[in-house]
Amino acid sequence: MKKYTIIEKDGFILVENQNGATLGYSQNSSVELIEEDGYAFKDLNKNGKLDKYEDWRLPLEERVADLVGQMSIEDIAGLTLYSAHQALATTGVFGTMFAGTYDGKSLAESDKKISDLSDQQKEFLRDDRLRHVLLTIIEDLETAVTWNNNLQASAESLGLGIPVNICTDPRHTVSANTEFDAGAGGDISKWPHQLGLAATFSPELIKDFGEIAAKEYRALGIVTALSPQIDIATEPRWMRFSGTFGEDSRLSADLAKAYCEGFQNSANGWGQDSVNAMVKHWPGGGSGEAGRDAHFGFGKYAVYPGGNFDEHLIPFTEGAFNLEKTGKASAVMPYYTISYDQTNENVGNGYNKYLITDLLRKKYQYDGVVCTDWGITNDATKVDSFLVGKSWGVEELSIAERHYKILMAGVDQFGGNNDIKPVLEAYQLGVTEHGESWMRERFEQSAKRILQNIFQTGLMENAYLDLEKSRKQYGIQEYQEKGFLAQLRSIVMLKNTKNALPIAEKQKVYIPNRQRPIRSDWFGQPIAATDELPAVPEMINSYYQLVDTPEEADFALVMMESPKSAGYTVEDGYLPISLQYRPYTAKSARKESIAGGGPLEKESNRSYANKTNITENERDLDQLIMTKERMGSKPVIATLDSNNPTVPSEFEPYADAILVHFSSTTQALLEIISGKTEPSGLLPFQMPKNMETVETQQEDVPHDMIPYTDRENNHYNFGFGLNFSGEIEDERVKKYRRG
């Protein structure tokens, strides 16, 4: 008796087994159904019989073992690859810089659509046997669904029929345009960036976010999140500070746990609604010397002057590895950094056997996938370029030798590598050193870990998307409303002199333009100078009446961003990263750097003592001062879009009220300003008194700066925030505030 039903969908076949698995396969992939005991199974390897890995009734471990046993070394090598950035849009840096070709032509010159597979995608699926793809910017939901189905059909037609695991960096924030937040696509819900989530001090909210984000990811075909970033941000100048949960290890651990549980739980554990969480960056990348970042050669060293290495592990060991239903985050990414003098060799964390095998796998019993950060096996040819390789500490090795060292360290996957050849060369290096049997077993060990993440999320049964079903989990008003509520809850009020806030609606408001000089983006691409209103007039006018001059206004709103500066230039060498707007001279900096040197540098001392640096957005402060002078006694409200802690002493005296936010929408700010919503956010970091306390704090130690105290005697310390009645003293503050 047949116990299944076949349904033809747009581009694929859906098979529903009674009280069993729902299967999906392509009409064009040569896959056929096998019937046993009345149930249907996919003949993925096209051999005409039901193999154990194809039998959805069997335990996951048994299925994985059977599949691994059928895989060639080439198959496993392909499984260890994680692609470079793939874009499904024709605009923006990702849509142009990472564009592929179609039958040898550009997309515009061909008769193809962006949802068709590029030549490069076809090649790495077929020739390199790659089955893990990083997806960046997406044009819209329909494009994502169509491309996913094309990708899965192509993979299904090859070899053993292993589906593609699509991953993404975070994509839920308002701007959605940075390297770590690479394009949302369509109507995905909009939340504050991760530091803003931390400002809610609410594990419940973060878990709710994870559950919603997982539904939206699966609607797009995304099955692995390259998040959360759970480094504790103990170094306030770090340019990736905004991607963290702040500087506190206890808060970060609780939020990491909630985030991973939200993404990975599907009803009662793993299932077809689950999204694998790849937590990053082991063992913590938040202590880069002087705030420099290891995406660049000038920032490759993490330092530990306070001897506080172990605290950086807490968000992993007590958070992401301590989940209630799925046990642990399914994957871990080491950072680019060299954890300087913490082990027996100063090499990048992805190359370090002590950090991966001895510490992560043996001491903390982590048996999930470990995947390198992107591009660490490529050659490092410049000290100041984002686009070169990041083979820190092993620059002298060949590319194949780097792959081999990574495998011997205990890592399973190579982020940003589409090329199977160096992995096969690394395998042969292992055969030479250890023998064929030993090296085959080492490859199989990684293959089993990797395949578990594919099986446990239901991809082996059905990797195809039904557009109508995806629409039911995407662009949903309830999700949008919850994201907006999270924005509101993340906004921190630091100051409110004489109850300047709230301000009744319909009053007249002046907003000065935001001015920026010519500058460069992450990739070294020039950005034109700008002089423009930092908000959409229509949005402002829906709450207040926007006027052209301070003299006409009842109050002013100055929309600032945290100071931005670079810690290195080719012309000037090492420079101080400044958290103040005015030019800063580093009189208190170290005369000798803790770490330094490398093949691309003549000297090992990276000190910038007594050197001066400027910020690209000093004009934010000028605009605030000018506005205050022209407003006289009328209230001036400052909003600070915060990517890093900022020295408030320059701007606080000129603002009657200060709101710190984390890429929230203008509407969310206006809801607070107008009093429709009361502020409830808390600082997930300290705001420093001055740059001297920034220079003298220790990169690896949290809560070790002197916090700023304003003219209202508010202490801008970790856990501080105001509502309209005064300082917030609730259960969150009691639980997490230090001291």
Side-chain angles (χ1 to χ4, degrees), residues 216-234:
E216 293 174 323
Y217 277 15
R218 291 305 298 252
L220 293 165
I222 296 167
V223 183
T224 294
L226 300 188
S227 58
Q229 182 187 335
I230 60 176
D231 318 75
I232 53 172
T234 51

Side-chain angles (χ1 to χ4, degrees), residues 56-123:
W56 45 261
R57 299 169 298 183
L58 296 177
L60 183 150
E61 293 77 10
E62 190 173 344
R63 298 180 67 193
V64 168
D66 178 64
L67 178 53
V68 171
Q70 296 190 41
M71 297 179 76
S72 67
I73 291 302
E74 289 76 13
D75 291 330
I76 297 175
L79 205 60
T80 68
L81 302 176
Y82 231 124
S83 84
H85 301 72
Q86 305 296 306
L88 291 185
T90 56
T91 58
V93 64
F94 283 91
T96 55
M97 185 175 293
F98 301 108
T101 59
Y102 299 80
D103 295 333
K105 304 175 183 177
S106 69
L107 182 64
E109 295 170 334
S110 71
D111 59 355
K112 303 291 185 179
K113 300 176 181 177
I114 193 67
S115 57
D116 291 323
L117 299 189
S118 68
D119 299 335
Q120 292 74 23
Q121 290 161 2
K122 292 176 183 177
E123 180 180 350

Side-chain angles (χ1 to χ4, degrees), residues 314 385 406 456 512 576 652:
I314 288 175
S385 175
I406 288 168
Q456 69 194 8
E652 179 267 325

Side-chain angles (χ1 to χ4, degrees), residues 25-234:
Y25 68 98
S26 172
Q27 299 101 319
N28 303 317
S29 68
S30 302
V31 166
E32 296 182 355
L33 292 180
I34 294 174
E35 185 176 317
E36 183 173 289
D37 299 330
Y39 294 109
F41 306 85
K42 293 188 293 184
D43 184 13
L44 291 168
N45 60 5
K46 301 94 177 169
N47 67 355
K49 66 177 184 178
L50 180 61
D51 293 276
K52 288 183 178 180
Y53 86 91
E54 299 164 339
D55 190 342
W56 45 261
R57 299 169 298 183
L58 296 177
L60 183 150
E61 293 77 10
E62 190 173 344
R63 298 180 67 193
V64 168
D66 178 64
L67 178 53
V68 171
Q70 296 190 41
M71 297 179 76
S72 67
I73 291 302
E74 289 76 13
D75 291 330
I76 297 175
L79 205 60
T80 68
L81 302 176
Y82 231 124
S83 84
H85 301 72
Q86 305 296 306
L88 291 185
T90 56
T91 58
V93 64
F94 283 91
T96 55
M97 185 175 293
F98 301 108
T101 59
Y102 299 80
D103 295 333
K105 304 175 183 177
S106 69
L107 182 64
E109 295 170 334
S110 71
D111 59 355
K112 303 291 185 179
K113 300 176 181 177
I114 193 67
S115 57
D116 291 323
L117 299 189
S118 68
D119 299 335
Q120 292 74 23
Q121 290 161 2
K122 292 176 183 177
E123 180 180 350
F124 65 53
L125 288 177
R126 180 188 66 244
D127 299 341
D128 299 290
R129 310 193 191 195
L130 182 149
R131 293 297 180 271
H132 292 77
V133 171
L134 171 56
L135 181 60
T136 60
I137 189 168
I138 297 172
E139 207 154 84
D140 52 42
L141 176 65
E142 186 172 358
T143 298
V145 167
T146 304
W147 180 78
N148 173 85
N149 291 351
N150 290 337
L151 189 75
Q152 300 295 356
S154 181
E156 188 177 75
S157 69
L158 300 168
L160 296 164
I162 298 172
V164 178
N165 179 2
I166 299 172
C167 80
T168 182
D169 281 307
R171 57 193 318 114
H172 276 85
T173 61
V174 174
S175 56
N177 59 7
T178 69
E179 197 274 338
F180 315 111
D181 171 20
D187 297 316
I188 205 164
S189 56
K190 304 297 184 186
W191 301 66
H193 57 58
Q194 193 170 309
L195 191 59
L197 293 176
T200 69
F201 278 59
S202 173
E204 295 77 18
L205 183 147
I206 275 69
K207 186 175 182 181
D208 197 24
F209 162 72
E211 291 171 351
I212 289 170
K215 291 182 175 70
E216 293 174 323
Y217 277 15
R218 291 305 298 252
L220 293 165
I222 296 167
V223 183
T224 294
L226 300 188
S227 58
Q229 182 187 335
I230 60 176
D231 318 75
I232 53 172
T234 51

